[in-house]
Amino acid sequence: MIRMGFKIVVDSCCDLTGQMLKDPRFIKVPLTIRSNGSSFIDNETFDQADLLWAMKQSDDAPATACPSPQSYLDAYQGPEDEDVYVVTLSALLSGSHNSAEQARMLMEEDHPNKNVYVFNSCSASSGEVLVALKVRELAESGAPFKHVVREVEQFIYQMQTMFVLETLENLRKNGRLTRLQSVITGALKIKLLMGATPEGEICKLGQTLSMKQALSKMVDHMANDPAHAGRVLAICHCNCLDRAFQVKAMAEQRCKFAHILILEAGGITSVYANDGGIVTAY
């Protein structure tokens, strides 16, 4: 019997596997997506193929909407002594973190003794998954609420996020990338290796002439970082499982990760990673 002394609320950019979601302590709050006249709720009804098709047909950027504070507040409800840990997308990429914080303050007004903490993952997708799993590991061990918060904040600060995309068009359309950078890489077919700053902002780590070279450069970064040894590597793919396994094989050969997870992109990750994108975190 699983002890329900805590729960972990995540937004839907946290690409937990189906097996992970069988743990009733994980509660997912969905974002919504609009593209080419269609609306997609990023929950168990989400169809990736339909979204990818809609994005290809549209000249406009897909629009995303973060959960309302009320959606988060509903997820926080439960026994007074149940600790609630929340993991959101980078606050610099989405309003999801702000909504979760607003809900925490509302909860505090009526339940001043209830423990609720909102983690800004300073990442997305794979990074959110690693943060959520770290929370579970520590909370399951019986660690006090404040200890879990302190350890997970340190984990977030040390975590590394990298990604390589087939196309940067959605990032450009959504204002996450300069138009010049997108045009240059699109015209020259350059593949950028991108990462996240400690604050959760997108940054460029390198560029290559092919996807294969970009993925190899990504693993080079991992192998050259001595801090990776013993950590978990999470690899999320958007409709490119073979590519994810290529990264896994290279990492197994050149790195010293304790474990490697393969994850499938949900709706929000599919919007930003687009068809063929790979997002890693460790």
Side-chain angles (χ1 to χ4, degrees):
M1 181 71 179
I2 293 176
R3 185 177 68 84
M4 296 295 285
F6 68 92
K7 66 182 170 187
I8 304 165
V9 178
V10 301
D11 65 30
S12 60
C13 194
C14 184
D15 293 313
L16 295 164
T17 66
Q19 187 63 38
M20 292 170 188
L21 287 171
K22 288 181 180 178
D23 184 338
R25 295 168 298 186
F26 283 129
I27 309 293
K28 186 176 273 196
V29 181
L31 284 83
T32 56
I33 305 157
R34 286 195 60 81
S35 181
N36 201 39
S38 297
S39 184
F40 304 85
I41 301 174
D42 194 11
N43 58 15
E44 63 279 356
T45 68
F46 169 69
D47 187 306
Q48 186 186 65
D50 283 352
L51 175 63
L52 294 177
W53 175 254
M55 291 193 300
K56 284 177 182 175
Q57 300 308 303
S58 178
D59 292 330
D60 300 320
T64 61
C66 65
S68 67
Q70 186 61 52
S71 295
Y72 274 113
L73 190 59
D74 291 345
Y76 298 171
Q77 301 298 332
E80 197 70 18
D81 61 351
E82 179 184 62
D83 293 338
V84 180
Y85 303 98
V86 192
V87 181
T88 74
L89 263 160
S90 168
L92 294 178
L93 298 179
S94 169
S96 181
H97 181 76
N98 187 49
S99 282
E101 274 289 2
Q102 288 183 47
R104 181 191 61 77
M105 290 186 284
L106 291 170
M107 175 65 80
E108 224 171 48
E109 290 177 9
D110 295 330
H111 303 274
N113 297 318
K114 189 173 178 69
N115 289 328
V116 181
Y117 189 86
V118 182
F119 293 102
N120 172 11
S121 72
C122 297
S123 183
S125 184
S126 300
E128 283 187 73
V129 170
L130 292 185
V131 174
L133 293 178
K134 188 66 176 179
V135 171
R136 184 174 69 173
E137 174 194 325
L138 290 165
E140 246 178 4
S141 75
F145 182 78
K146 288 184 179 178
H147 177 81
V148 174
V149 168
R150 186 170 61 251
E151 289 293 311
V152 173
E153 285 289 7
Q154 182 67 16
F155 178 83
I156 290 170
Y157 181 75
Q158 294 173 341
M159 185 172 65
Q160 302 293 321
T161 304
M162 292 184 284
F163 59 95
V164 178
L165 312 183
E166 278 285 3
T167 171
L168 299 170
E169 195 60 10
N170 280 354
L171 285 178
R172 183 192 66 77
K173 287 177 181 176
N174 280 284
R176 305 296 192 270
L177 203 67
T178 66
R179 178 172 177 81
L180 179 62
Q181 198 169 40
S182 179
V183 167
I184 289 173
T185 55
L188 301 180
K189 302 302 180 187
I190 289 172
K191 299 301 178 190
L192 295 184
L193 171 60
M194 310 293 282
T197 67
E199 298 75 31
E201 195 166 21
I202 292 172
C203 63
K204 176 184 167 185
L205 297 176
Q207 65 186 48
T208 66
L209 295 176
S210 72
M211 176 61 75
K212 184 177 179 181
Q213 290 173 338
L215 296 177
S216 181
K217 187 179 282 286
M218 175 188 282
V219 178
D220 285 344
H221 272 263
M222 297 173 189
N224 292 332
D225 177 7
H228 86 270
R231 292 191 193 177
V232 175
L233 171 65
I235 305 167
C236 186
H237 71 93
C238 183
N239 196 36
C240 57
L241 182 60
D242 286 352
R243 190 168 283 169
F245 275 109
Q246 288 171 21
V247 176
K248 181 175 185 284
M250 285 191 288
E252 285 174 337
Q253 186 176 16
R254 294 154 59 186
C255 304
K256 298 177 181 177
F257 289 108
H259 185 55
I260 299 177
L261 297 170
I262 301 286
L263 311 168
E264 186 174 343
I268 298 301
T269 302
S270 296
V271 166
Y272 292 115
N274 217 326
D275 205 358
I278 291 284
V279 183
T280 64
Y282 65 88

